[in-house]
Amino acid sequence: MCMQKIRVLAVLWCFSGCWFASRPAQAQTRSIPSATYFARFSPLYDGDFADALDGFDAELKGAIKTVQSRWLDSICYHAMCGECEYELGKYPAAVQHYNDALNIYLAYSDWMLRVQFPPTLQAAGAGRPAAPWGASRRAAKLVHYPDHMTVSVGKLDQTDVLQRGGVLTQAMMYPVNVQEVCRCVALCLHRRRELLGPICSYDPLTKKMVIALQSGVTQPNHWSQAWVDTSLGIALASDGQTDLAAKVLERSLLVNGQYDHPLTCWGLLELGELNFEKGDLNAASSYLEEASYSAYDTGDYLVIEEAFRQGLSLHLLANKPGLFPPLKNAISWAKSKGGKFLYASLVADLAENEIVLHQTALAASAADELARLLVSRKQMAVGEISSRAKYVAALVQYQKGNVKAGDDALAAALEFKRVAGRWNYQINLAYELATAGDVITPRMAVTVYDKLLRDPLPEDWNSNPLESLSVLVSPNLAPFEQWFEIVRTTNQAETALEIADRIRRRRFFSTIHTGGRLLSLRWILEAPEAALDPKSLLQRQDLLIKFPHYAELAQSAKQLKTELSKLDLVPNSQDSAKQMAGLLDQLARVSNQQEAVLHEIAIRREPAALVFPPLKKVHDVQAALPDGTVLLMFFSTGKTVQATLLSNQKFAAWDLANPPAIDAKLVGLLRDLGNYDGNHELTSKDLQSETWKKSAKELMDLLVAGSRVNLGDKFDELVIVPEGALWFVPFEALQVTSGGKSESLLAHCRIRYAPTMGLAVPTAIPRKMQQDTAVVVGKLHLREDAAVSGQMFEQLHKAIPTAVALKSPLPGVSSVYRSQFDGLIVNDDINPQGGPYDWSPVQMDKGRGVGSLANWMSLPWGAPDFVIFPGFHTKAESQLKGANSGNDLFLSVCGLMSTGTRTILLSRWRTGGATSYNLVREFVKELPHTVADDAWQRSVQLVSGEPIIPELEPRVQKAGMAEPPKAENPFFWSGFMLVDSGVTPEKSTRPNAPPTIKPLKPKVGK
């Protein structure tokens, strides 16, 4: 009976859906063939990734519906599906396929123990054929490995099943392409290491693969151990055991100590990357070269493509002359025999190499060839190779001087990379895993984020500048804020502050061209040496040597500025106006040429630090704070708002207890000060009322609630780094108790603001005593008499003889002309519309599209050291109606300071009257003699003690005002925000007593 049952089961097994068992054993010739020779793989190598994916996916679905033995097929199909998704930039799907393949491998990790390997290996021929681009220097020989070998599936001994019960599985022999399965396992491990980056060592699957591959998965002392060692070496590298990985990979390269094998190229490729990571560039280059030869022998185009791509990086990094030697011959071979995808990648390599050699025409020809190829292979046009094509197109256009065309091409490349960049993928994956908390614990997350959320390092720029750019233009705020929250809850307060400053800087970077890279290059190459650290100065020297054309342009710009400095700031004759206009036009042309070179450098493999805004350690900031100065910083995440008070000796941090109540109280205070809308008129009763004091006291109490901080304690200077709606808080008017009496914060201490912690402390460059100050004579309010601004300028000129009124039309665009000013005062109404960089600081050319803040952030280098905007509008003047995030104000301030400006005085709401003019005049008169916040405090003390002139205050009702009140109501002065980095004057020549003020008497109007 039992024998009959066995026979029946055997018949049923033979007629099951098993692909291997569908014909007699001697006729079973179909197996998993080498990808090089299997026709189904040709769409992948021709760049038809979607078609290839459909084919592999169909095979995969067929495999998983059949019996157990076909799971070996599934390893290969999952690997190839993953490879298609990888080239399409769909990294989550790719990693899932790689994981699935490796999990299947783990389920059948002993399958190689049942492979019937050939008893001997047959030599492949008399000699090793040379690749078209060179010959191997290794003494390894080639040997013939069968495309498929038989594997036993099922049990030979069924006794235990017959005795204990269960399903009988007849042992059968099936042909399997063993080398292809092993190759696909190595491929999956290699790609996972690349895609997961620092996360890979924390992934449980990585550790499982290490354990499995170390556990004797093939026959003892057998040559097939070399195949296993290739995967083991990659797994060890993925687990962070790089030294052991290198030893295992070296061991894996040869079978029986003399023969290459189908996985040798993968071992060489991995050794090349490991040596690159540890900085041994010569060894890395040698391994990659040998990997390309070995891959040529086995027809592994994936390895050839990657070996050439990484080899070019090393060639350029070593600054070797001429073209990457093997490139031309490899391209000729690939065009006819290597598949369209490999050919496209090699052409992209060629285009970049020609750019570095300044062979612009040849680079353009290669870029055009690549573009034509992508048009003919539409599925490549949506993948990773397409982003590389757009990148090299951008390089070509920048080198031609076509900045607009280059920007368009770069934007298209970065659009893909924002979504499909490996670095961004790792950041988002780390965030997901840290949020879940099972794979990456909070402690692990700190280490991972420290690696992933850093600024790009020199090796990042050297290996893949497009990846680095894609990270800089992506805010990644959620991961950053999670990093901040984890660190601060583990009592690492100083590190949390430094992370907060990184986040502020990344918010700024993500809104400007190339994510701050271009801006930092301007600083490195053009800023005063005293503003840069030694490392940046060395980078300046390197770049000027490497780009002599830029050095020539910079020298021309310097000479033009020297010629301009000999002229009056405002031309006083037709001839001088014509001369200045000509020089400014030349300077604009030279600056545009400089910008084109900078754009090219910005996206090339050129290491350069991100120097603005500067990142500083907390202990360095504390050391730079003088006695009596405290730094009050706020930082907001989706969960909390943290406040920190820092001095050179003390440190205190607390969470704002009730942020919604603070927002509400701020709105109430703004309303109490008269800010119902930008043109609301205050009555005499409003100006004499003190109801605002109650709101100001309550708001101060809310800000320090839950802390032991008392801002009424004795100190000299308060530096505030605002956040969110706190940018609109008139801290100057907030009430503190000092010496038993209540007073405004500005009366208690000097106050200034900074957009980041790094900008709160000054550089070593003092402020010039003699400053050429340009003044825009406009109207601060629509109801202001046109003659008032002119009369106010006359008083300003008497106090500051170097102040001159700008004339319309300007002799040149303001974004170039501003390089001649030491200071700028814009007595005109400024209502920023659109983005934070779309408004014009000078206003006189705002309609021409050339004077925006965005234009000011370009070359030529040089901006007013101080700028004053008493007519600036923000949401504070309308009770924060609409957006109240404060982000636009933060970005505008960062934009202004990025041009080299160090002191900014602007209005949160503009009062638009004589008091405003007088405050500005007294501030500018005192500025050369003292620090900015001292000059401002003196100005407010002086002007607020004088009666207002109602006829010259457009936001004050004249009717019913018997006796004009003094300007002591904070409506007149607390709307001003002084942003300053603590700049000191060249020498202290401040008078012993503040000068007296002579208010302007009304000559016009009623």
Side-chain angles (χ1 to χ4, degrees):
M1 182 64 182
C2 289
M3 290 301 296
Q4 184 179 2
K5 185 176 181 180
I6 291 172
R7 291 191 187 96
V8 171
L9 289 173
V11 171
L12 290 175
W13 177 266
C14 290
F15 285 94
S16 69
C18 178
W19 176 58
F20 286 123
S22 61
R23 65 187 76 181
Q26 63 270 23
Q28 292 176 1
T29 58
R30 188 178 181 190
S31 62
I32 304 295
S34 171
T36 308
Y37 305 108
F38 190 17
R40 258 193 210 108
F41 287 75
S42 61
L44 172 61
Y45 291 110
D46 276 340
D48 296 327
F49 306 124
D51 291 344
L53 180 61
D54 290 341
F56 297 139
D57 188 56
E59 292 287 349
L60 178 61
K61 291 176 181 177
I64 63 176
K65 291 179 181 178
T66 57
V67 296
Q68 181 177 341
S69 61
R70 282 217 65 194
W71 285 112
L72 293 175
D73 302 40
S74 300
I75 291 175
C76 299
Y77 289 131
H78 271 302
M80 290 299 103
C81 285
E83 198 62 15
C84 293
E85 300 282 21
Y86 169 84
E87 294 299 343
L88 290 169
K90 299 178 180 179
Y91 297 141
V95 170
Q96 186 60 58
H97 277 296
Y98 298 140
N99 289 347
D100 288 344
L102 297 180
N103 279 315
I104 294 168
Y105 178 88
L106 288 172
Y108 301 96
S109 60
D110 64 344
W111 67 276
M112 288 183 71
L113 292 171
R114 291 177 277 116
V115 174
Q116 290 190 351
F117 290 101
T120 58
L121 295 175
Q122 299 176 1
R128 183 188 185 108
W133 54 87
S136 172
R137 290 183 294 275
R138 296 168 63 244
K141 301 176 182 178
L142 295 181
V143 70
H144 173 72
Y145 299 92
D147 281 345
H148 54 273
M149 307 170 199
T150 54
V151 180
S152 65
V153 177
K155 294 184 177 182
L156 293 172
D157 185 0
Q158 303 286 340
T159 304
D160 59 337
V161 178
L162 295 175
Q163 291 176 349
R164 301 176 186 177
V167 178
L168 290 170
T169 56
Q170 183 181 6
M172 299 186 70
M173 305 301 292
Y174 300 103
V176 173
N177 192 318
V178 176
Q179 58 180 285
E180 183 62 20
V181 175
C182 293
R183 188 186 80 96
C184 287
V185 171
L187 167 64
C188 292
L189 289 166
H190 177 81
R191 288 289 186 237
R192 285 180 82 258
R193 179 169 181 260
E194 174 189 350
L195 292 178
L196 298 184
I199 301 170
C200 200
S201 62
Y202 297 98
D203 190 279
L205 182 56
T206 300
K207 300 185 183 301
K208 290 178 182 178
M209 286 299 299
V210 170
I211 293 170
L213 291 165
Q214 287 177 330
S215 301
V217 296
T218 189
Q219 300 170 16
N221 302 317
H222 192 266
W223 59 260
S224 59
Q225 183 63 46
W227 295 5
V228 176
D229 281 345
T230 304
S231 293
L232 175 58
I234 301 173
L236 288 167
S238 302
D239 196 40
Q241 303 182 55
T242 52
D243 290 339
L244 180 56
K247 293 178 181 178
V248 173
L249 287 168
E250 286 285 1
R251 186 178 70 202
S252 77
L253 298 180
L254 296 174
V255 166
N256 294 337
Q258 57 182 328
Y259 300 125
D260 272 358
H261 55 86
L263 275 70
T264 296
C265 58
W266 287 96
L268 290 165
L269 180 67
E270 195 73 20
L271 282 166
E273 295 186 1
L274 286 173
N275 278 276
F276 176 75
E277 290 167 10
K278 73 177 185 179
D280 191 341
L281 304 187
N282 289 331
S285 181
S286 178
Y287 278 120
L288 291 171
E289 181 184 357
E290 291 294 344
S292 74
Y293 299 142
S294 178
Y296 173 77
D297 294 335
T298 57
D300 200 324
Y301 296 167
L302 296 180
V303 173
I304 295 174
E305 188 275 334
E306 190 164 343
F308 268 86
R309 184 158 37 88
Q310 301 292 352
L312 175 67
S313 296
L314 291 169
H315 177 78
L316 298 178
L317 178 58
N319 201 25
K320 293 182 179 179
L323 278 175
F324 184 36
L327 199 50
K328 282 288 187 71
N329 288 340
I331 288 175
S332 298
W333 165 80
K335 186 172 185 179
S336 60
K337 299 180 180 179
K340 296 295 190 296
F341 170 65
L342 175 57
Y343 175 62
S345 180
L346 294 174
V347 170
D349 292 338
L350 175 64
E352 185 178 359
N353 203 166
E354 296 285 15
I355 280 289
V356 173
L357 298 174
H358 291 276
Q359 300 291 334
T360 312
L362 294 176
S365 177
D368 291 343
E369 169 68 9
L370 182 56
R372 285 192 295 270
L373 183 61
L374 293 184
V375 170
S376 66
R377 316 300 296 188
K378 294 184 178 179
Q379 293 178 22
M380 278 200 294
V382 295
E384 169 72 18
I385 188 64
S386 176
S387 72
R388 290 181 62 199
K390 294 179 176 68
Y391 167 72
V392 297
L395 281 170
V396 169
Q397 294 301 327
Y398 286 147
Q399 197 162 92
K400 286 182 174 180
N402 300 333
V403 174
K404 176 63 169 61
D407 285 349
D408 292 342
L410 179 62
L414 288 176
E415 183 179 0
F416 175 85
K417 277 293 183 181
R418 279 192 183 96
V419 178
R422 287 186 287 277
W423 196 343
N424 276 331
Y425 168 68
Q426 291 166 12
I427 291 172
N428 293 326
L429 179 60
Y431 175 71
E432 293 174 6
L433 295 175
T435 301
D438 47 359
V439 175
I440 296 182
T441 64
R443 182 177 178 181
M444 295 174 182
V446 171
T447 303
V448 172
Y449 280 146
D450 191 52
K451 295 176 181 177
L452 291 178
L453 296 177
R454 56 174 169 75
D455 286 346
L457 299 172
E459 51 265 36
D460 298 314
W461 293 115
N462 285 327
S463 61
N464 199 329
L466 195 57
E467 280 284 337
S468 299
L469 290 170
S470 71
V471 169
L472 292 179
V473 300
S474 304
N476 289 316
L477 293 183
F480 264 112
E481 290 177 0
Q482 186 181 65
W483 187 23
F484 170 82
E485 290 286 356
I486 292 172
V487 167
R488 82 184 192 95
T489 54
T490 53
N491 297 320
Q492 301 178 62
E494 291 188 5
T495 303
L497 284 181
E498 292 162 7
I499 294 171
D501 230 35
R502 286 183 179 275
I503 297 174
R504 294 187 188 97
R505 199 170 71 143
R506 188 59 64 88
R507 289 173 182 164
F508 175 50
F509 283 167
S510 65
T511 65
I512 59 177
H513 197 284
T514 63
R517 164 86 159 164
L518 186 61
L519 173 63
S520 289
L521 285 170
R522 295 187 190 111
W523 275 76
I524 289 172
L525 288 168
E526 298 292 338
E529 290 188 3
L532 301 174
D533 59 23
K535 182 179 178 181
S536 297
L537 291 175
L538 286 175
Q539 289 173 346
R540 171 183 288 187
Q541 293 177 14
D542 291 342
L543 290 171
L544 290 177
I545 292 172
K546 201 166 187 177
F547 296 90
H549 180 53
Y550 182 89
E552 294 171 3
L553 291 169
Q555 185 61 34
S556 297
K558 185 178 180 180
Q559 291 172 355
L560 288 168
K561 289 179 186 178
T562 300
E563 292 298 314
L564 283 164
S565 67
K566 298 175 183 178
L567 304 177
D568 293 332
L569 188 59
V570 175
N572 52 19
S573 70
Q574 188 173 358
D575 289 341
S576 62
K578 184 176 180 180
Q579 183 183 5
M580 176 173 277
L583 290 172
L584 288 174
D585 185 59
Q586 290 181 57
L587 181 57
R589 288 199 301 271
V590 170
S591 297
N592 288 337
Q593 294 175 57
Q594 285 180 282
E595 281 290 320
V597 180
L598 281 180
H599 278 66
E600 179 190 341
I601 298 173
I603 68 172
R604 277 180 51 169
R605 303 170 189 262
E606 303 295 339
L610 299 171
V611 299
F612 184 90
L615 281 180
K616 296 183 183 293
K617 296 289 185 181
V618 169
H619 62 80
D620 292 332
V621 172
Q622 285 185 287
L625 292 175
D627 292 340
T629 294
V630 294
L631 181 57
L632 176 61
M633 295 177 286
F634 299 93
F635 182 73
S636 173
T637 67
K639 296 181 179 180
T640 186
V641 180
Q642 177 178 287
T644 306
L645 195 68
L646 191 72
S647 71
N648 57 13
Q649 296 178 340
K650 297 182 179 180
F651 186 105
W654 68 98
D655 289 346
L656 299 191
N658 194 343
I662 291 173
D663 291 345
K665 187 59 64 177
L666 170 59
V667 170
L669 174 60
L670 293 173
R671 188 168 53 244
D672 290 344
L673 290 173
N675 288 297
Y676 289 88
D677 60 58
N679 295 308
H680 176 74
E681 293 184 358
L682 279 71
T683 65
S684 177
K685 182 179 178 181
D686 293 331
L687 294 177
Q688 295 176 13
S689 172
E690 295 189 347
T691 56
W692 62 270
K693 288 186 177 181
K694 182 174 182 293
S695 297
K697 177 68 167 61
E698 290 173 348
L699 180 53
M700 174 59 82
D701 291 342
L702 284 171
L703 290 172
V704 298
S707 73
R708 297 180 180 180
V709 169
N710 179 12
L711 291 181
D713 289 344
K714 183 176 177 56
F715 57 89
D716 301 322
E717 180 185 44
L718 178 64
V719 186
I720 303 168
V721 179
E723 175 80 349
L726 298 179
W727 275 94
F728 304 116
V729 173
F731 281 90
E732 294 78 1
L734 299 189
Q735 298 292 291
V736 296
T737 301
S738 179
K741 67 175 183 177
S742 179
E743 62 181 353
S744 70
L745 191 57
L746 184 60
H748 178 67
C749 64
R750 310 191 311 268
I751 297 176
R752 61 183 171 90
Y753 298 81
T756 70
M757 180 175 70
L759 288 169
V761 292
T763 63
I765 305 173
R767 196 187 310 278
K768 290 169 59 177
M769 289 291 296
Q770 188 75 17
Q771 295 183 319
D772 292 329
T773 302
V775 182
V776 175
V777 182
K779 293 175 66 173
L780 289 179
H781 198 281
L782 291 174
R783 291 196 293 267
E784 180 181 275
D785 192 296
V788 169
S789 184
Q791 294 179 30
M792 288 297 183
F793 171 73
E794 292 175 6
Q795 282 209 350
L796 177 67
H797 183 66
K798 289 178 181 178
I800 309 164
T802 57
V804 293
L806 296 180
K807 298 177 181 179
S808 183
L810 297 173
V813 296
S814 64
S815 56
V816 178
Y817 190 23
R818 49 90 181 172
S819 64
Q820 304 306 301
F821 311 155
D822 294 321
L824 173 67
I825 304 172
V826 183
N827 289 327
D828 204 357
D829 190 71
I830 302 177
N831 195 356
Q833 300 294 328
Y837 315 120
D838 292 338
W839 58 280
S840 173
V842 167
Q843 292 290 293
M844 297 176 74
D845 57 358
K846 64 181 179 180
R848 295 173 56 192
V850 291
S852 69
L853 178 55
N855 297 124
W856 277 46
M857 293 164 71
S858 300
L859 294 179
W861 179 265
D865 189 55
F866 70 87
V867 294
I868 301 175
F869 304 116
F872 200 83
H873 295 255
T874 77
K875 293 292 183 181
E877 67 184 11
S878 57
Q879 308 174 64
L880 305 186
K881 291 178 181 177
N884 65 350
S885 70
N887 195 50
D888 279 2
L889 188 51
F890 162 75
L891 295 175
S892 291
V893 166
C894 284
L896 283 166
M897 299 189 83
S898 76
T899 66
T901 294
R902 296 184 292 172
T903 301
I904 304 166
L905 182 67
L906 57 80
S907 57
R908 299 183 185 91
W909 61 85
R910 59 98 171 87
T911 58
T915 302
S916 180
Y917 286 109
N918 292 335
L919 283 167
V920 169
R921 183 182 68 248
E922 294 305 313
F923 170 68
V924 177
K925 184 166 64 175
E926 191 73 2
L927 191 58
H929 310 294
T930 186
V931 291
D933 53 8
D934 183 44
W936 178 244
Q937 187 186 49
R938 286 168 175 265
S939 175
V940 171
Q941 290 172 346
L942 189 62
V943 174
S944 63
E946 295 291 330
I948 67 169
I949 304 173
E951 293 83 354
L952 298 179
E953 298 293 344
R955 291 195 60 185
V956 173
Q957 285 187 7
K958 286 70 177 174
M961 189 169 290
E963 182 178 349
K966 293 182 179 180
E968 56 190 0
N969 190 294
F971 167 78
F972 292 108
W973 46 264
S974 69
F976 282 91
M977 168 182 279
L978 175 65
V979 181
D980 179 73
S981 57
V983 187
T984 56
E986 278 184 330
K987 56 182 178 178
S988 179
T989 58
R990 186 180 63 205
N992 292 328
T996 56
I997 184 172
K998 297 180 179 180
L1000 179 71
K1001 299 300 180 182
K1003 295 181 180 180
V1004 294
K1006 297 181 180 180

